[in-house]
Each structure stands twice: as structure tokens, then as C-alpha cells.
Amino acid sequence: EVQLVQSGAEVKMPGESLKISCKGYGYDFTTYWIGWVRQMPGKGLEWMGIIYPGDSDLRYSPSVHGQVTFSADKSISTAYLQWSSLKASDTAIYYCARQYTTSSPFDYWGQGTLVTVSS
Amino acid sequence: QSALTQPASVSGSPGQSITISCTGTSSDVGGYNYVSWYQQHPGKAPKLMISGVNKRPSGVSDRFSGSKSGNTASLTISGLQGEDEGYYYCSSYTTNRTSVFGGGTKLTVL
């Protein structure tokens, strides 16, 4: 069974760093793209970007480029989203999802990771 | 990349049909047949309902259908049921080799 399992909720202070994870099960992790989608409180879905774990090819949305970093460790079928210096505006639920090609839909989603940034 | 334009809300009675529109540009919706629709219930992850403009993944009811004309895609739900209530988001591939979501539409079943 295909599953994407994300790390648990985080509460951080502004300026702190953070790395959240998304682990794939039940399929060849190296042959699907992993996307990251942000959902701010009470708001809609925002496409952040994608990474191909097979060779770490990356695409970032202009709105997050330089603000976050995607990475992946194919040996443990895990993708990561990280921040070096969090802001209150980073408070959101972050979903990972997989897609077969860059133009394919997201067919399986993780359960989401709630990140709360507050002083 | 600007978000695709969806109506903020639509409503319908059980058994009726509703249509949700998703308007983009020739750089996204109009340029590719890579429009998808997702359903999201409160507190849950999104679920793929339609891909490639009008293809239903296995397990999705045939009450859901998609279409496209020019820069506007549409999702139609026929025979509305209470379980259809929730939020619906369209998404499209773009010329920048990225993707973009619509702002989302809240569906209320009266």
C-alpha cells in the first residue's frame, strides 16, 4: 500500500531552524517526484515546489525560493523540507504528495505537518 | 505565478448538479491538458478527484466529471450528496515547469 508518512507537529520560535520529513512506503521512492504544499490557517493550498529523489532535481515556486530548502535521502525513502530561520508567517500545515512526472497530479498525500511559529 | 481563479463558494441541494469553474491563462489551464481537481474535508489531506482535465482515478464516483474550454476548466458534481460537502481546488501545470492551485471553492450541500 502506498503511503506518505510525515513527521509530527512542531512549535518553534521565530528565528529557529526546522526540518520536517516525509517518508514513502509501498513504492519505488526514486521514481516519483515529491511535492510540498502549504496551507496557511484558514486558507487554500499553495504549491511550494517539488524534488525528484532519484537525482535531487528541484523546482521551487518563486514565492518560497530562497526561504526554504528541499532535500531527499533516497536510501531511507525520505524527503525533507527545512527552514534556516522561521518567521511567524511560516505557520501553516505542510503536506507532501507524490507525482509521477512534473505535469502529473498529486495522487497520494501525506497526513500533513502543522508548524506553529510563535514567540 | 498567480493562483487560478475559482468562485469562493457554491451550493446545491441533494440530488442536484453543481459546476465549479477554474480560470487561468494560456500559460497554464489554456496551454495544457494537465488540470487536476482535489477535494478536501476539514482537517484532512486533499484527495485527487480528477486528473488530466477529465480522468477519474480508480475509486472516485462517476458523479464527478471535468471539462475544459479555453482558459477555463470546470468540475461538475451530479447527484449531490451530503458527503460531497467540503472544499475543492483546481490545479494546473504551467509554462514555468511548475504547478499552481486555485484559491479553492467551498461546496455547501443544503
Side-chain angles (χ1 to χ4, degrees):
Chain A
E1 178 191 5
V2 174
Q3 288 187 75
L4 293 172
V5 179
Q6 298 185 233
S7 49
E10 301 274 1
V11 179
K12 292 289 188 179
M13 298 188 67
E16 290 189 314
S17 62
L18 176 65
K19 192 174 189 178
I20 63 174
S21 66
C22 169
K23 185 172 175 65
Y25 295 90
Y27 73 99
D28 186 345
F29 194 72
T30 63
T31 60
Y32 283 78
W33 292 78
I34 291 290
W36 290 96
V37 176
R38 177 168 65 186
Q39 188 165 38
M40 294 180 174
K43 302 298 183 183
L45 306 176
E46 180 184 3
W47 190 91
M48 299 177 69
I50 51 176
I51 183 168
Y52 191 71
D55 62 7
S56 293
D57 190 9
L58 296 161
R59 311 269 171 86
Y60 288 101
S61 164
S63 64
V64 305
H65 196 234
Q67 309 302 310
V68 298
T69 302
F70 305 149
S71 60
D73 184 342
K74 61 186 179 183
S75 70
I76 55 172
S77 300
T78 301
Y80 302 96
L81 167 60
Q82 74 179 95
W83 296 258
S84 59
S85 180
L86 286 160
K87 309 180 188 67
S89 57
D90 292 318
T91 295
I93 297 173
Y94 292 87
Y95 293 101
C96 67
R98 76 163 200 179
Q99 59 181 161
Y100 188 56
T101 70
T102 57
S103 57
S104 299
F106 288 133
D107 60 354
Y108 283 88
W109 292 67
Q111 81 276 21
T113 295
L114 174 61
V115 174
T116 303
V117 184
S118 174
S119 55
Chain B
Q1 186 72 42
S2 299
L4 307 175
T5 301
Q6 299 181 231
S9 64
V10 298
S11 62
S13 300
Q16 288 186 330
S17 295
I18 63 95
T19 296
I20 299 171
S21 62
C22 170
T23 301
T25 68
S26 58
S27 295
D28 38 64
V29 174
Y32 304 94
N33 287 325
Y34 297 133
V35 176
S36 303
W37 289 90
Y38 301 88
Q39 176 193 65
Q40 187 181 34
H41 290 132
K44 300 294 186 182
K47 174 187 175 184
L48 177 64
M49 304 302 284
I50 295 287
S51 66
V53 175
N54 56 14
K55 299 176 182 55
R56 275 190 314 276
S58 174
V60 173
S61 170
D62 60 5
R63 297 185 298 104
F64 291 82
S65 62
S67 63
K68 191 186 87 167
S69 177
N71 295 337
T72 298
S74 298
L75 172 71
T76 298
I77 308 173
S78 59
L80 267 181
Q81 299 179 0
E83 66 203 47
D84 300 332
E85 191 164 280
Y87 289 84
Y88 290 83
Y89 297 90
C90 61
S91 176
S92 175
Y93 185 67
T94 82
T95 52
N96 296 326
R97 302 192 306 156
T98 61
S99 291
V100 62
F101 283 102
T105 298
K106 182 178 181 180
L107 169 61
T108 301
V109 180
L110 302 171

